[in-house]
Amino acid sequence: MRIVCIGGGPAGLYFALLMKKQHPTHHVSVVERNRPFDTFGWGVVFSDATMQSMRQWDPETAATIEDAFNHWDDIELVFKGRKIRTSGHGFVGIGRKKMLNILQDRCLELGVELLFERDVISDDEFPDADLIISSDGVNSRMRSKYADIFRPDMQMRPNRYIWLGTDKRFDAFTFDFRRTEHGWFQAHIYRFDDSTSTFIVETTDEVFRAHGIDAMDQDQSIAFCEKLFAETLDGHRLMSNARHMRGSAWLNFGRLICQRWSHFNGNSHVVLMGDSAHTAHFAIGSGTKLAIDDAIELTRQFDIAGHDKPDIPAVLAAYEEVRRVDVARIQNAARNAMEWFEVVGERYADTLEPEQFMYSMLTRSQRISHENLRLRDKTWLEGYERWFAERAGVSPAPNGAAPPPMFTPFKVRDLKLANRIVVSPMAMYSATDGLPDDFHLVHIGARAMGGAALIFPEMTCVSPDARITPGCLGLWNDEQANAFKRMVDFVHRETSAKIGMQLGHAGRKGATKVPWEGDDEPLDDGAWPLISASALPYLPHWQTPRTMTRDDMDRVVADFVRATERARHIGFDMLELHAAHGYLLSSFLSPLTNRRDDEYGGSHENRARFPLEVFRAMRAVWPAGKPMSVRLSTHDWRDGGNTPEDAAIFSAMFKEAGADLIDCSSGQVVDDDQPVYGRMYQTPFSDKIRNEIDVSTIAVGAISEADHANSIIAAGRADLCAIARPHLADPSFVLHEAAKIGYDQQPWPKQYLSARQQYINNLTRAASAPVVAKP
Ligand SMILES: Cc1cc2nc3c(=O)[nH]c(=O)nc-3n(C[C@H](O)[C@H](O)[C@H](O)COP(=O)(O)OP(=O)(O)OC[C@H]3O[C@@H](n4cnc5c(N)ncnc54)[C@H](O)[C@@H]3O)c2cc1C
Ligand SMILES: Cc1cc2nc3c(=O)[nH]c(=O)nc-3n(C[C@H](O)[C@H](O)[C@H](O)COP(=O)(O)O)c2cc1C
């Protein structure tokens, strides 16, 4: 086979040497426009996992790279006059030039042809090639030429950065944050050889322009950075090796995803590799790793299918299928980390104290969790847990141990919660005429004994026509109130949990069957007329709701107020207004479901007018000492719908109207939404609202273990975590999670105490049990 790699970066060189090594009869060349020692950039970082696969595939290269590596364990934060350091992070760094030279030498040793100083204009220049690797980096010409086939999606990110070097040796991966009169700058700094460190400076476009950096040349902008980071540089200079670039050399990162990675041009198969196929932001330092992993996977697929020409199409298809999954995973984590650095100035830097700022930064990708940090640096994490607990008003225990963040108390108005876990409201569709019965008493009672600090029964409807299904709970008559009182009294008498009430109105999503009689199906008989912001059915075969008139609004406000008064008399500890998931109030907030042209439609202010009117009327009759929350769909997950930006605007309005907490759910507003699920997938919305609007929040959605909740609470991404489905599977979820992480201060119901030690023993036994080989 004749193989040509266009571009001699890590992807092209490593693939070339692996293929030549596996199959010496292949003719492999790498064509690079630069000279062998010209290269843009300073150092790159690697993970242990990448080194492990490099060792497996070419021990010679791996050994030379490892010899040249600089290894360091610490991360240091320089922020607001403080330096905070944690250990155990395990990075290796190498100069980009050094690494490319090692790869070039190895290529020559194995017989790869290296052609430098040749700028390839088109793949047509290699008509004899069977396989052309487009390893020509992020601005790939080959990708542009076949853009209609590869369908690249390049998203230019707003921040500006410049990749510099310095001759100061840093002994930790250092993040340095500096405030100027216009805003924040951050430097990402790491050493990569005995005398040089990479020094990337980043800021927002607004701050960049406010300082006039766009009008500076490279020397001026370097002088600017030297002055800004003078304290950290300690007399050392900053250097650029991007002299070939015009202007100030500041860049915007482009996030790239391609729909297809390979194409047959009539003579040769052209395949994308490395940065020409995908990019991952430098905030998690994975671009080189991805390039190397691509090279390994394509070689592996040739080894599996065969190194003959007819095998190429199948090999390329398999390569793309395997790599897509890993690339998507890394790009996801990189996106969270990148966004953290994009919003750090406006969202965290001015408000968070250095300790919590450090925690938030370390967990920015949501991939490193609380227990993961404990494994890396136990002493630092325990110190942080103590710091956090003291701020939550807990004095450390006599042995000095502090409770994990999720087990710290939380106070809002006069309500004191023992920990940060909430049983999220979940409709059970098991009531008759809205009346709670023995099922609801047992269901809620069991969960109230399970350790969560706050329990919500399901969305409770304010009138018969406010129900989703005939099985929904209601609070429009005294009989229902008496039954709820029995439940609330039980929770208060028998447990230390608090109990909240979520009031709602189904709007256009009403009059449907209970799920086990037909999911998303309207009632055959007995349907009641529906109302909504606009006359749009939820699904084409559903009843079309009537557009609400002012009279309808008056009636609905009065229904909410009456239900609130009943909730107050019953003795609920907290009240939540359900304004999410496409139900009545949510249908006003979302532009997808609100098409009104009166003062209740159009702008944010107009769309929020009726939901706020309901909220204010409830707040007026709800006791001042008791808190109220509002549940919002903080993302509609559909073009033209509300985004987290819109949700932040609504949150500020509800806060101003007296809401103490925003419960940050998402979606379910329209049937064809496209949510992107994943663990803690709605938590970034809570983080945004809490830290930009300065209001307490509840995070919810795929928070399924103590480790998730601890990292959310510790990082300040929410004040409370609502946990739904895990509580259906296990009413004692919190008791069990406490045992799993070894927290021994979680009280158990006195009647169940004898089970506690046995549960802990069983966990210990299971953890130490030998793995039994399968027959
Ligand atoms: C500021 C910054 C910091 C980074 N930090 C890290 C880090 O810490 N860790 C990490 O893993 N990654 C990091 N990266 C990313 C990393 O540099 C890239 O992801 C990686 O180099 C991709 O390898 P590649 O071989 O695909 O492309 P490149 O390294 O870009 O190589 C492409 C090569 O193709 C050549 N070329 C382009 N067009 C042509 C042409 N028409 N003809 C001939 N030759 C051509 C170029 O000259 C270049 O040598 C960073 C990137 C930036 C911008
Ligand atoms: C069976 C069921 C019923 C639900 N009913 C309600 C409800 O009445 N009110 C509400 O706001 N959310 C309701 N939800 C959404 C949950 O409160 C929660 O937001 C969602 O399940 C995500 O959390 P989880 O990943 O912990 O399950 C319900 C969820 C489930 C699974």
Side-chain angles (χ1 to χ4, degrees), residues 343 346-348 351-352 579-580 589 629-636 642-656 659-666 682-700 716-719:
V343 300
E346 62 180 287
R347 195 185 287 176
Y348 311 111
T351 49
L352 296 188
L589 295 176
S629 57
V630 180
R631 183 168 263 211
L632 295 179
S633 282
T634 53
H635 199 328
D636 285 351
N642 282 330
T643 63
E645 291 298 324
D646 301 300
I649 295 171
F650 293 133
S651 300
M653 292 175 176
F654 279 108
K655 175 190 169 187
E656 199 267 323
D660 304 289
L661 290 138
I662 305 296
D663 189 350
C664 301
S665 187
S666 78
Q682 294 168 160
T683 299
F685 315 140
S686 161
D687 185 0
K688 177 183 173 69
I689 289 169
R690 181 177 190 272
N691 292 299
E692 286 182 10
I693 306 302
D694 190 22
V695 60
S696 295
T697 58
I698 306 175
V700 64
R717 299 196 165 96
D719 297 277

Side-chain angles (χ1 to χ4, degrees), residues 424-427 459 502 578 581 631 700-702 723-726:
S424 199
M426 279 179 286
M459 171 173 121
Q502 185 191 54
H578 197 336
H581 302 168
R631 183 168 263 211
V700 64
I723 294 180
R725 288 163 298 174

Side-chain angles (χ1 to χ4, degrees), residues 245-267:
M245 291 173 69
R246 283 191 299 276
S248 64
W250 289 72
L251 303 170
N252 290 83
F253 173 76
R255 193 282 283 121
L256 172 72
I257 295 172
C258 289
Q259 293 304 310
R260 266 190 66 178
W261 292 12
S262 65
H263 165 61
F264 184 64
N265 70 8
N267 291 319

Side-chain angles (χ1 to χ4, degrees), residues 45 250 258 330 355 647 649 699 702 706 721:
V45 289
W250 289 72
C258 289
I330 300 279
E355 285 80 0
I649 295 171
C721 289

Side-chain angles (χ1 to χ4, degrees), residues 150-169:
F150 296 136
R151 296 201 303 274
D153 169 21
M154 176 73 88
Q155 192 185 80
M156 294 316 286
R157 302 302 304 187
N159 268 13
R160 299 295 196 124
Y161 70 91
I162 183 166
W163 203 0
L164 300 170
T166 174
D167 56 5
K168 176 170 173 181
R169 288 163 50 107

